[in-house]
Amino acid sequence: MSTAVQEKETILNFLDGDFSSISDVDVIAGLNQKGAGNISEFPFPTKKDEDWRFTDLRSISRNHFVPVAEAGADPTGDISNHYLPEAQESRLVFVNGEFDAERSSLDSIPDNVTVGTLVEHGDSEVVKEHLGKYTTYDEDQDVFNALNDANFKNGVFIHVPKETKVEAPIHILNIFTDAEKPFYATPRVLFVGEAYSKSTVVEEHIGLAENEYLNIPVAEFKMKEGSNIHHARIQRDSKKANHISRPIAHLDKYAEYHSYTICLGAKLFRNDPRVVQNDEEVNFTIDGLVLIDGEQIADTHSAIDHRHWHAQSHQLHKVVVNDKAHSIFNGKIFVREDSQKIDSFQENRNLLLSADGTVHTKPQLEIFSDDVLCSHGATIGHLNEDEVFYLHSRGLTKKKARELLVYAFTLESIENMEVESVHKLLLDEVIKFTSRDEEFVAVGS
Amino acid sequence: MLEIKNLHASVEGEDEQILKGVNLTINKGEIHAIMGPNGSGKSTLAKVVSGHPEYEITEGEILFEGEDITELDADERAHLGMFLAFQYPIEVPGITNRTLLRESYNTIARENDREELDPLEFDDYLKERLEVIDMKDSFLERSINTGFSGGEKKKNEVFQMAVLNPKLAFMDETDSGLDIDALKVVSDGINKIAGPENAIVLITHYQRLLNYITPDFVHVMMNGKIVKSAGKELAHELEDQGYEKLEKEFSLNGEAQ
């Protein structure tokens, strides 16, 4: 016997949660209500959806997640090893989605700059004006964005006033601890950079244990005229976690947004960065570096939207795949009608260290304008045997030769890190990733 | 120093023999030149001696300072003091000459219980060795061979040799493609490195390089074997007569079996 009407699968089928409870803060409550309505309406994506063809979400849908408060999460121990020396007094710590005032320190933030929580600044006109205004995922019926909207009760708020430079990098540290049950968390960031302001933000996600959870961060960056940001995002979630993130930047005239996303953790990482050009003469970067092994999946579906004249965009997405890991890259670039003089660079380079790894790559350019320079390319390759032999013949062990070659492959991405300790952290991660005993597959040229 | 005895080798997994019984003895303080037409097996000999994984030794042995090195990996041969200057030096973007050389130098030092050099000491040493090939400091910061001209790549091979100071170097067509200025710099460099404690084997198609470096022995290789060995005058003979006369003589000797 089968039922005549099959019930639509929504995320609520495998999530617990009382989405009728809304925030006391009006501006958050509004989004909570909107999100709650959407999550019961928006379908849960399957492999039949074009944007999810290669990424199997059954690791989520066959599981059951509870709100983090009900998960029986461990208390946090000492996490000071994750503090950045450059951000000792410009750090916001969230543990399992809850703001941790004790571990946060904002002493070096200038008085006219706002760095704090959305709850604390819920009455701010800036928050009211911008929060939730840039996530355009409704038209895609994006259930993950809806879940973040419905569930978040707090988050990060950063407001850098006109002509102000924040010297210290602002470190947003999202820590997840071990828990009795798989849980979900919905970190949220709102960044507003006023005209000609300048700042650096390091957004980090760290899983302290090997537990299952679902991390769904949404970050909105409103970059006003001539404002400039260096945004490093480091994903080091638990190797059993699912991380589905939606970072979006809106750029006004002369604005610069430079983001570098590093993917090291999570069983499933899905990142949909979007950059929208609101006016002329903007300059932005959405680079990525992915290092995955085991059975990790890292899927980047980016969208760059050129809507006006004169823009420079840069997207270098580098991927190293070992074991049975799987990387997916889909890079959409729109150049709308009448947006001339666009210089857009996109490249996806993949290095396969094993015979069982998989890479899917697809540049997707939609250009409705004629005076445009869009270069794009994708390469997939193994380590080059001739290069390995060259170094080997100079006395380096094969292992060392391969380590150096993988290191060289990733270096271009890492060198862009402005914060010295982040730079060093990533070099250490690369060495950790490559210095395993198994042989990597190499082929002759 | 090096004794090659009845060496047979083929490409790994293939039947056809490329080396068909090479015999060669090299003592320290000597410079040898191995000449021969294209496809005679000269480059294969260099690669097999340095331990290239593409080739399989099917018969014979290679002794280095009395030790059979046939089963050793390329890095282990480098640790013993062997060096191959590549005919086509490989470009390795992202790794600087300095990084490779320090890693190389210190690995070899460690394997031989010699003291490793710290970055500052090593820098001084590198600068001193740069003089051998008349290159500027900035050369050290460049990615290995990346975007180098043909001449720069060959100079870099000689520079690596100057830094690593091997006991035995096989130089595979280090002269090919060099203009006259570069040829002088490269051969000057090799002459400065050559000494009573090391040995150098120059693999070349032409007599040209031998106008600047005087070999003690010249060998002619054909069809996977050394068919003739003599003093430096043999190179001049070959230059005048070409390889045809020898080839004829060689096949009349019943080699076409």
PDB file of all heavy atoms in Angstrom, chain A residues 386-387 389-398 400 404-405 408 411, chain B residues 52 74-75 78-79 83-84 86 91-93 103-104 107 145 157 160:
ATOM      1  N   ASP A 386      58.152  13.738 -13.222  1.00  0.00           N
ATOM      2  CA  ASP A 386      59.455  14.327 -13.559  1.00  0.00           C
ATOM      3  C   ASP A 386      59.909  15.310 -12.476  1.00  0.00           C
ATOM      4  O   ASP A 386      61.080  15.375 -12.138  1.00  0.00           O
ATOM      5  CB  ASP A 386      59.386  15.055 -14.906  1.00  0.00           C
ATOM      6  CG  ASP A 386      59.151  14.094 -16.055  1.00  0.00           C
ATOM      7  OD1 ASP A 386      59.529  12.907 -15.911  1.00  0.00           O
ATOM      8  OD2 ASP A 386      58.588  14.509 -17.074  1.00  0.00           O
ATOM      9  N   GLU A 387      58.934  16.073 -11.963  1.00  0.00           N
ATOM     10  CA  GLU A 387      59.277  17.004 -10.884  1.00  0.00           C
ATOM     11  C   GLU A 387      59.717  16.233  -9.639  1.00  0.00           C
ATOM     12  O   GLU A 387      60.678  16.596  -8.975  1.00  0.00           O
ATOM     13  CB  GLU A 387      58.078  17.894 -10.531  1.00  0.00           C
ATOM     14  CG  GLU A 387      57.711  18.878 -11.627  1.00  0.00           C
ATOM     15  CD  GLU A 387      56.494  19.737 -11.274  1.00  0.00           C
ATOM     16  OE1 GLU A 387      55.934  19.562 -10.189  1.00  0.00           O
ATOM     17  OE2 GLU A 387      56.117  20.569 -12.127  1.00  0.00           O
ATOM     18  N   PHE A 389      61.052  13.264  -9.543  1.00  0.00           N
ATOM     19  CA  PHE A 389      62.387  12.676  -9.756  1.00  0.00           C
ATOM     20  C   PHE A 389      63.481  13.730  -9.672  1.00  0.00           C
ATOM     21  O   PHE A 389      64.565  13.478  -9.135  1.00  0.00           O
ATOM     22  CB  PHE A 389      62.473  11.932 -11.098  1.00  0.00           C
ATOM     23  CG  PHE A 389      63.853  11.360 -11.328  1.00  0.00           C
ATOM     24  CD1 PHE A 389      64.315  10.310 -10.539  1.00  0.00           C
ATOM     25  CD2 PHE A 389      64.698  11.898 -12.279  1.00  0.00           C
ATOM     26  CE1 PHE A 389      65.591   9.801 -10.702  1.00  0.00           C
ATOM     27  CE2 PHE A 389      65.976  11.391 -12.459  1.00  0.00           C
ATOM     28  CZ  PHE A 389      66.425  10.344 -11.668  1.00  0.00           C
ATOM     29  N   TYR A 390      63.203  14.896 -10.206  1.00  0.00           N
ATOM     30  CA  TYR A 390      64.206  15.963 -10.177  1.00  0.00           C
ATOM     31  C   TYR A 390      64.630  16.263  -8.737  1.00  0.00           C
ATOM     32  O   TYR A 390      65.823  16.313  -8.415  1.00  0.00           O
ATOM     33  CB  TYR A 390      63.631  17.210 -10.845  1.00  0.00           C
ATOM     34  CG  TYR A 390      64.632  18.311 -11.105  1.00  0.00           C
ATOM     35  CD1 TYR A 390      65.679  18.131 -11.998  1.00  0.00           C
ATOM     36  CD2 TYR A 390      64.519  19.548 -10.481  1.00  0.00           C
ATOM     37  CE1 TYR A 390      66.586  19.137 -12.253  1.00  0.00           C
ATOM     38  CE2 TYR A 390      65.424  20.571 -10.735  1.00  0.00           C
ATOM     39  CZ  TYR A 390      66.452  20.363 -11.615  1.00  0.00           C
ATOM     40  OH  TYR A 390      67.351  21.372 -11.872  1.00  0.00           O
ATOM     41  N   LEU A 391      63.650  16.421  -7.865  1.00  0.00           N
ATOM     42  CA  LEU A 391      63.954  16.717  -6.461  1.00  0.00           C
ATOM     43  C   LEU A 391      64.571  15.495  -5.763  1.00  0.00           C
ATOM     44  O   LEU A 391      65.485  15.612  -4.954  1.00  0.00           O
ATOM     45  CB  LEU A 391      62.688  17.155  -5.720  1.00  0.00           C
ATOM     46  CG  LEU A 391      61.961  18.377  -6.297  1.00  0.00           C
ATOM     47  CD1 LEU A 391      60.752  18.725  -5.441  1.00  0.00           C
ATOM     48  CD2 LEU A 391      62.877  19.575  -6.407  1.00  0.00           C
ATOM     49  N   HIS A 392      64.065  14.319  -6.120  1.00  0.00           N
ATOM     50  CA  HIS A 392      64.558  13.061  -5.560  1.00  0.00           C
ATOM     51  C   HIS A 392      66.043  12.875  -5.898  1.00  0.00           C
ATOM     52  O   HIS A 392      66.845  12.486  -5.050  1.00  0.00           O
ATOM     53  CB  HIS A 392      63.721  11.939  -6.177  1.00  0.00           C
ATOM     54  CG  HIS A 392      63.852  10.611  -5.509  1.00  0.00           C
ATOM     55  ND1 HIS A 392      63.854  10.450  -4.149  1.00  0.00           N
ATOM     56  CD2 HIS A 392      63.965   9.365  -6.025  1.00  0.00           C
ATOM     57  CE1 HIS A 392      63.980   9.163  -3.863  1.00  0.00           C
ATOM     58  NE2 HIS A 392      64.050   8.492  -4.977  1.00  0.00           N
ATOM     59  N   SER A 393      66.400  13.213  -7.131  1.00  0.00           N
ATOM     60  CA  SER A 393      67.797  13.037  -7.568  1.00  0.00           C
ATOM     61  C   SER A 393      68.726  14.033  -6.878  1.00  0.00           C
ATOM     62  O   SER A 393      69.935  13.882  -6.920  1.00  0.00           O
ATOM     63  CB  SER A 393      67.910  13.207  -9.082  1.00  0.00           C
ATOM     64  OG  SER A 393      67.889  14.580  -9.420  1.00  0.00           O
ATOM     65  N   ARG A 394      68.125  15.061  -6.263  1.00  0.00           N
ATOM     66  CA  ARG A 394      68.952  16.024  -5.521  1.00  0.00           C
ATOM     67  C   ARG A 394      69.095  15.618  -4.062  1.00  0.00           C
ATOM     68  O   ARG A 394      69.475  16.426  -3.213  1.00  0.00           O
ATOM     69  CB  ARG A 394      68.364  17.423  -5.635  1.00  0.00           C
ATOM     70  CG  ARG A 394      68.360  17.977  -7.059  1.00  0.00           C
ATOM     71  CD  ARG A 394      69.786  18.139  -7.600  1.00  0.00           C
ATOM     72  NE  ARG A 394      69.821  18.641  -8.953  1.00  0.00           N
ATOM     73  CZ  ARG A 394      70.144  17.902 -10.016  1.00  0.00           C
ATOM     74  NH1 ARG A 394      70.417  16.609  -9.882  1.00  0.00           N
ATOM     75  NH2 ARG A 394      70.187  18.437 -11.216  1.00  0.00           N
ATOM     76  N   GLY A 395      68.701  14.388  -3.756  1.00  0.00           N
ATOM     77  CA  GLY A 395      68.931  13.876  -2.413  1.00  0.00           C
ATOM     78  C   GLY A 395      67.716  13.916  -1.501  1.00  0.00           C
ATOM     79  O   GLY A 395      67.753  13.429  -0.384  1.00  0.00           O
ATOM     80  N   LEU A 396      66.607  14.532  -1.973  1.00  0.00           N
ATOM     81  CA  LEU A 396      65.406  14.574  -1.146  1.00  0.00           C
ATOM     82  C   LEU A 396      64.692  13.226  -1.228  1.00  0.00           C
ATOM     83  O   LEU A 396      64.622  12.624  -2.303  1.00  0.00           O
ATOM     84  CB  LEU A 396      64.460  15.675  -1.632  1.00  0.00           C
ATOM     85  CG  LEU A 396      64.746  17.105  -1.173  1.00  0.00           C
ATOM     86  CD1 LEU A 396      66.132  17.568  -1.571  1.00  0.00           C
ATOM     87  CD2 LEU A 396      63.709  18.047  -1.740  1.00  0.00           C
ATOM     88  N   THR A 397      64.140  12.769  -0.099  1.00  0.00           N
ATOM     89  CA  THR A 397      63.363  11.533  -0.157  1.00  0.00           C
ATOM     90  C   THR A 397      62.133  11.805  -1.026  1.00  0.00           C
ATOM     91  O   THR A 397      61.731  12.959  -1.204  1.00  0.00           O
ATOM     92  CB  THR A 397      62.864  11.107   1.237  1.00  0.00           C
ATOM     93  OG1 THR A 397      62.053  12.160   1.762  1.00  0.00           O
ATOM     94  CG2 THR A 397      64.012  10.819   2.180  1.00  0.00           C
ATOM     95  N   LYS A 398      61.531  10.728  -1.530  1.00  0.00           N
ATOM     96  CA  LYS A 398      60.331  10.897  -2.353  1.00  0.00           C
ATOM     97  C   LYS A 398      59.251  11.601  -1.551  1.00  0.00           C
ATOM     98  O   LYS A 398      58.520  12.440  -2.073  1.00  0.00           O
ATOM     99  CB  LYS A 398      59.803   9.539  -2.818  1.00  0.00           C
ATOM    100  CG  LYS A 398      60.401   9.124  -4.128  1.00  0.00           C
ATOM    101  CD  LYS A 398      59.687   7.900  -4.669  1.00  0.00           C
ATOM    102  CE  LYS A 398      60.392   7.451  -5.937  1.00  0.00           C
ATOM    103  NZ  LYS A 398      60.110   6.062  -6.261  1.00  0.00           N
ATOM    104  N   LYS A 400      59.608  13.714   0.929  1.00  0.00           N
ATOM    105  CA  LYS A 400      59.931  15.138   1.060  1.00  0.00           C
ATOM    106  C   LYS A 400      59.680  15.867  -0.263  1.00  0.00           C
ATOM    107  O   LYS A 400      59.171  16.996  -0.274  1.00  0.00           O
ATOM    108  CB  LYS A 400      61.402  15.288   1.482  1.00  0.00           C
ATOM    109  CG  LYS A 400      61.820  16.697   1.810  1.00  0.00           C
ATOM    110  CD  LYS A 400      61.235  17.146   3.139  1.00  0.00           C
ATOM    111  CE  LYS A 400      61.157  18.659   3.208  1.00  0.00           C
ATOM    112  NZ  LYS A 400      60.487  19.107   4.435  1.00  0.00           N
ATOM    113  N   LEU A 404      57.100  18.946  -0.676  1.00  0.00           N
ATOM    114  CA  LEU A 404      57.502  20.259  -1.210  1.00  0.00           C
ATOM    115  C   LEU A 404      56.632  20.664  -2.397  1.00  0.00           C
ATOM    116  O   LEU A 404      56.253  21.831  -2.521  1.00  0.00           O
ATOM    117  CB  LEU A 404      58.957  20.205  -1.679  1.00  0.00           C
ATOM    118  CG  LEU A 404      60.034  20.744  -0.757  1.00  0.00           C
ATOM    119  CD1 LEU A 404      61.386  20.704  -1.459  1.00  0.00           C
ATOM    120  CD2 LEU A 404      59.746  22.179  -0.310  1.00  0.00           C
ATOM    121  N   LEU A 405      56.307  19.698  -3.241  1.00  0.00           N
ATOM    122  CA  LEU A 405      55.510  20.018  -4.432  1.00  0.00           C
ATOM    123  C   LEU A 405      54.071  20.391  -4.062  1.00  0.00           C
ATOM    124  O   LEU A 405      53.497  21.306  -4.654  1.00  0.00           O
ATOM    125  CB  LEU A 405      55.529  18.851  -5.427  1.00  0.00           C
ATOM    126  CG  LEU A 405      56.888  18.634  -6.094  1.00  0.00           C
ATOM    127  CD1 LEU A 405      56.908  17.306  -6.846  1.00  0.00           C
ATOM    128  CD2 LEU A 405      57.218  19.781  -7.051  1.00  0.00           C
ATOM    129  N   ALA A 408      54.258  23.790  -2.566  1.00  0.00           N
ATOM    130  CA  ALA A 408      54.414  24.806  -3.613  1.00  0.00           C
ATOM    131  C   ALA A 408      53.071  25.091  -4.296  1.00  0.00           C
ATOM    132  O   ALA A 408      52.759  26.226  -4.625  1.00  0.00           O
ATOM    133  CB  ALA A 408      55.442  24.358  -4.638  1.00  0.00           C
ATOM    134  N   LEU A 411      51.000  27.286  -1.966  1.00  0.00           N
ATOM    135  CA  LEU A 411      51.652  28.500  -1.473  1.00  0.00           C
ATOM    136  C   LEU A 411      51.015  29.784  -1.988  1.00  0.00           C
ATOM    137  O   LEU A 411      50.810  30.743  -1.247  1.00  0.00           O
ATOM    138  CB  LEU A 411      53.133  28.466  -1.859  1.00  0.00           C
ATOM    139  CG  LEU A 411      54.033  29.390  -1.059  1.00  0.00           C
ATOM    140  CD1 LEU A 411      54.003  29.019   0.405  1.00  0.00           C
ATOM    141  CD2 LEU A 411      55.446  29.329  -1.587  1.00  0.00           C
TER     142      LEU A 411
ATOM    143  N   HIS B  52      66.976   6.619 -12.179  1.00  0.00           N
ATOM    144  CA  HIS B  52      65.652   7.007 -12.670  1.00  0.00           C
ATOM    145  C   HIS B  52      64.704   5.806 -12.657  1.00  0.00           C
ATOM    146  O   HIS B  52      65.032   4.746 -13.177  1.00  0.00           O
ATOM    147  CB  HIS B  52      65.769   7.573 -14.093  1.00  0.00           C
ATOM    148  CG  HIS B  52      64.572   8.380 -14.497  1.00  0.00           C
ATOM    149  ND1 HIS B  52      63.341   7.814 -14.697  1.00  0.00           N
ATOM    150  CD2 HIS B  52      64.424   9.716 -14.706  1.00  0.00           C
ATOM    151  CE1 HIS B  52      62.477   8.766 -15.027  1.00  0.00           C
ATOM    152  NE2 HIS B  52      63.111   9.926 -15.037  1.00  0.00           N
ATOM    153  N   ALA B  74      67.234   7.003  -6.112  1.00  0.00           N
ATOM    154  CA  ALA B  74      67.970   8.173  -6.590  1.00  0.00           C
ATOM    155  C   ALA B  74      68.497   9.031  -5.440  1.00  0.00           C
ATOM    156  O   ALA B  74      69.621   9.549  -5.509  1.00  0.00           O
ATOM    157  CB  ALA B  74      67.083   9.010  -7.507  1.00  0.00           C
ATOM    158  N   ASP B  75      67.684   9.198  -4.387  1.00  0.00           N
ATOM    159  CA  ASP B  75      68.162  10.056  -3.287  1.00  0.00           C
ATOM    160  C   ASP B  75      69.344   9.416  -2.563  1.00  0.00           C
ATOM    161  O   ASP B  75      70.277  10.104  -2.158  1.00  0.00           O
ATOM    162  CB  ASP B  75      67.020  10.394  -2.310  1.00  0.00           C
ATOM    163  CG  ASP B  75      66.397   9.177  -1.656  1.00  0.00           C
ATOM    164  OD1 ASP B  75      66.406   8.093  -2.276  1.00  0.00           O
ATOM    165  OD2 ASP B  75      65.878   9.307  -0.522  1.00  0.00           O
ATOM    166  N   ALA B  78      72.369  10.085  -4.468  1.00  0.00           N
ATOM    167  CA  ALA B  78      72.791  11.480  -4.250  1.00  0.00           C
ATOM    168  C   ALA B  78      73.524  11.606  -2.913  1.00  0.00           C
ATOM    169  O   ALA B  78      74.512  12.328  -2.807  1.00  0.00           O
ATOM    170  CB  ALA B  78      71.585  12.412  -4.296  1.00  0.00           C
ATOM    171  N   HIS B  79      73.036  10.870  -1.909  1.00  0.00           N
ATOM    172  CA  HIS B  79      73.689  10.937  -0.597  1.00  0.00           C
ATOM    173  C   HIS B  79      75.121  10.401  -0.669  1.00  0.00           C
ATOM    174  O   HIS B  79      75.995  10.845   0.054  1.00  0.00           O
ATOM    175  CB  HIS B  79      72.893  10.151   0.461  1.00  0.00           C
ATOM    176  CG  HIS B  79      71.479  10.622   0.608  1.00  0.00           C
ATOM    177  ND1 HIS B  79      70.483   9.855   1.148  1.00  0.00           N
ATOM    178  CD2 HIS B  79      70.887  11.788   0.251  1.00  0.00           C
ATOM    179  CE1 HIS B  79      69.331  10.524   1.130  1.00  0.00           C
ATOM    180  NE2 HIS B  79      69.562  11.698   0.580  1.00  0.00           N
ATOM    181  N   PHE B  83      75.610  12.812  -8.852  1.00  0.00           N
ATOM    182  CA  PHE B  83      74.821  13.958  -9.312  1.00  0.00           C
ATOM    183  C   PHE B  83      74.534  13.799 -10.792  1.00  0.00           C
ATOM    184  O   PHE B  83      75.404  13.392 -11.562  1.00  0.00           O
ATOM    185  CB  PHE B  83      75.616  15.249  -9.063  1.00  0.00           C
ATOM    186  CG  PHE B  83      74.891  16.508  -9.465  1.00  0.00           C
ATOM    187  CD1 PHE B  83      74.053  17.161  -8.577  1.00  0.00           C
ATOM    188  CD2 PHE B  83      75.070  17.053 -10.735  1.00  0.00           C
ATOM    189  CE1 PHE B  83      73.390  18.332  -8.940  1.00  0.00           C
ATOM    190  CE2 PHE B  83      74.413  18.223 -11.102  1.00  0.00           C
ATOM    191  CZ  PHE B  83      73.577  18.862 -10.212  1.00  0.00           C
ATOM    192  N   LEU B  84      73.302  14.151 -11.180  1.00  0.00           N
ATOM    193  CA  LEU B  84      72.953  14.176 -12.603  1.00  0.00           C
ATOM    194  C   LEU B  84      72.554  15.597 -12.981  1.00  0.00           C
ATOM    195  O   LEU B  84      71.622  16.154 -12.397  1.00  0.00           O
ATOM    196  CB  LEU B  84      71.786  13.213 -12.885  1.00  0.00           C
ATOM    197  CG  LEU B  84      71.145  13.309 -14.271  1.00  0.00           C
ATOM    198  CD1 LEU B  84      72.114  12.873 -15.373  1.00  0.00           C
ATOM    199  CD2 LEU B  84      69.868  12.462 -14.357  1.00  0.00           C
ATOM    200  N   PHE B  86      70.629  17.534 -15.547  1.00  0.00           N
ATOM    201  CA  PHE B  86      69.603  17.100 -16.488  1.00  0.00           C
ATOM    202  C   PHE B  86      69.761  17.741 -17.862  1.00  0.00           C
ATOM    203  O   PHE B  86      70.116  18.910 -17.974  1.00  0.00           O
ATOM    204  CB  PHE B  86      68.204  17.457 -15.938  1.00  0.00           C
ATOM    205  CG  PHE B  86      67.704  16.533 -14.864  1.00  0.00           C
ATOM    206  CD1 PHE B  86      68.444  16.302 -13.714  1.00  0.00           C
ATOM    207  CD2 PHE B  86      66.473  15.902 -15.000  1.00  0.00           C
ATOM    208  CE1 PHE B  86      67.977  15.451 -12.723  1.00  0.00           C
ATOM    209  CE2 PHE B  86      65.994  15.050 -14.017  1.00  0.00           C
ATOM    210  CZ  PHE B  86      66.741  14.823 -12.873  1.00  0.00           C
ATOM    211  N   GLU B  91      61.088  22.430 -14.523  1.00  0.00           N
ATOM    212  CA  GLU B  91      60.595  23.643 -13.873  1.00  0.00           C
ATOM    213  C   GLU B  91      59.750  23.252 -12.670  1.00  0.00           C
ATOM    214  O   GLU B  91      58.873  22.406 -12.768  1.00  0.00           O
ATOM    215  CB  GLU B  91      59.728  24.458 -14.844  1.00  0.00           C
ATOM    216  CG  GLU B  91      60.495  24.951 -16.048  1.00  0.00           C
ATOM    217  CD  GLU B  91      59.721  25.972 -16.877  1.00  0.00           C
ATOM    218  OE1 GLU B  91      58.625  26.395 -16.432  1.00  0.00           O
ATOM    219  OE2 GLU B  91      60.220  26.339 -17.951  1.00  0.00           O
ATOM    220  N   VAL B  92      60.034  23.836 -11.536  1.00  0.00           N
ATOM    221  CA  VAL B  92      59.236  23.560 -10.346  1.00  0.00           C
ATOM    222  C   VAL B  92      58.724  24.883  -9.771  1.00  0.00           C
ATOM    223  O   VAL B  92      59.370  25.500  -8.936  1.00  0.00           O
ATOM    224  CB  VAL B  92      60.045  22.801  -9.273  1.00  0.00           C
ATOM    225  CG1 VAL B  92      59.118  22.296  -8.175  1.00  0.00           C
ATOM    226  CG2 VAL B  92      60.824  21.642  -9.879  1.00  0.00           C
ATOM    227  N   PRO B  93      57.565  25.339 -10.232  1.00  0.00           N
ATOM    228  CA  PRO B  93      57.058  26.617  -9.744  1.00  0.00           C
ATOM    229  C   PRO B  93      56.755  26.560  -8.250  1.00  0.00           C
ATOM    230  O   PRO B  93      56.290  25.537  -7.755  1.00  0.00           O
ATOM    231  CB  PRO B  93      55.759  26.836 -10.534  1.00  0.00           C
ATOM    232  CG  PRO B  93      55.592  25.672 -11.427  1.00  0.00           C
ATOM    233  CD  PRO B  93      56.661  24.671 -11.164  1.00  0.00           C
ATOM    234  N   GLU B 103      67.582  22.316   1.400  1.00  0.00           N
ATOM    235  CA  GLU B 103      67.021  21.006   1.725  1.00  0.00           C
ATOM    236  C   GLU B 103      67.976  19.903   1.245  1.00  0.00           C
ATOM    237  O   GLU B 103      68.273  18.958   1.963  1.00  0.00           O
ATOM    238  CB  GLU B 103      65.661  20.884   1.024  1.00  0.00           C
ATOM    239  CG  GLU B 103      64.790  19.763   1.504  1.00  0.00           C
ATOM    240  CD  GLU B 103      64.360  19.894   2.954  1.00  0.00           C
ATOM    241  OE1 GLU B 103      63.954  20.992   3.360  1.00  0.00           O
ATOM    242  OE2 GLU B 103      64.446  18.870   3.673  1.00  0.00           O
ATOM    243  N   SER B 104      68.442  20.067   0.022  1.00  0.00           N
ATOM    244  CA  SER B 104      69.340  19.111  -0.600  1.00  0.00           C
ATOM    245  C   SER B 104      70.667  19.004   0.145  1.00  0.00           C
ATOM    246  O   SER B 104      71.102  17.923   0.537  1.00  0.00           O
ATOM    247  CB  SER B 104      69.650  19.629  -2.001  1.00  0.00           C
ATOM    248  OG  SER B 104      69.369  18.704  -2.950  1.00  0.00           O
ATOM    249  N   THR B 107      70.266  17.618   3.680  1.00  0.00           N
ATOM    250  CA  THR B 107      69.947  16.187   3.692  1.00  0.00           C
ATOM    251  C   THR B 107      71.203  15.366   3.430  1.00  0.00           C
ATOM    252  O   THR B 107      71.484  14.390   4.123  1.00  0.00           O
ATOM    253  CB  THR B 107      68.883  15.855   2.612  1.00  0.00           C
ATOM    254  OG1 THR B 107      67.764  16.712   2.797  1.00  0.00           O
ATOM    255  CG2 THR B 107      68.424  14.404   2.708  1.00  0.00           C
ATOM    256  N   ASN B 145      64.004  26.929 -12.050  1.00  0.00           N
ATOM    257  CA  ASN B 145      63.942  26.879 -13.523  1.00  0.00           C
ATOM    258  C   ASN B 145      62.689  27.494 -14.156  1.00  0.00           C
ATOM    259  O   ASN B 145      62.522  27.444 -15.372  1.00  0.00           O
ATOM    260  CB  ASN B 145      64.086  25.428 -14.031  1.00  0.00           C
ATOM    261  CG  ASN B 145      65.438  24.836 -13.664  1.00  0.00           C
ATOM    262  OD1 ASN B 145      66.436  25.545 -13.657  1.00  0.00           O
ATOM    263  ND2 ASN B 145      65.461  23.556 -13.345  1.00  0.00           N
ATOM    264  N   GLU B 157      71.934  24.059 -13.393  1.00  0.00           N
ATOM    265  CA  GLU B 157      72.402  22.696 -13.131  1.00  0.00           C
ATOM    266  C   GLU B 157      73.853  22.724 -12.638  1.00  0.00           C
ATOM    267  O   GLU B 157      74.209  22.030 -11.689  1.00  0.00           O
ATOM    268  CB  GLU B 157      72.300  21.834 -14.399  1.00  0.00           C
ATOM    269  CG  GLU B 157      70.881  21.594 -14.888  1.00  0.00           C
ATOM    270  CD  GLU B 157      70.031  20.801 -13.913  1.00  0.00           C
ATOM    271  OE1 GLU B 157      70.257  19.583 -13.758  1.00  0.00           O
ATOM    272  OE2 GLU B 157      69.151  21.409 -13.290  1.00  0.00           O
ATOM    273  N   GLN B 160      73.884  24.080  -9.087  1.00  0.00           N
ATOM    274  CA  GLN B 160      73.483  23.056  -8.104  1.00  0.00           C
ATOM    275  C   GLN B 160      74.659  22.116  -7.824  1.00  0.00           C
ATOM    276  O   GLN B 160      74.918  21.730  -6.689  1.00  0.00           O
ATOM    277  CB  GLN B 160      72.291  22.249  -8.627  1.00  0.00           C
ATOM    278  CG  GLN B 160      71.003  23.073  -8.678  1.00  0.00           C
ATOM    279  CD  GLN B 160      69.826  22.276  -9.205  1.00  0.00           C
ATOM    280  OE1 GLN B 160      69.882  21.056  -9.327  1.00  0.00           O
ATOM    281  NE2 GLN B 160      68.744  22.960  -9.524  1.00  0.00           N
TER     282      GLN B 160
END
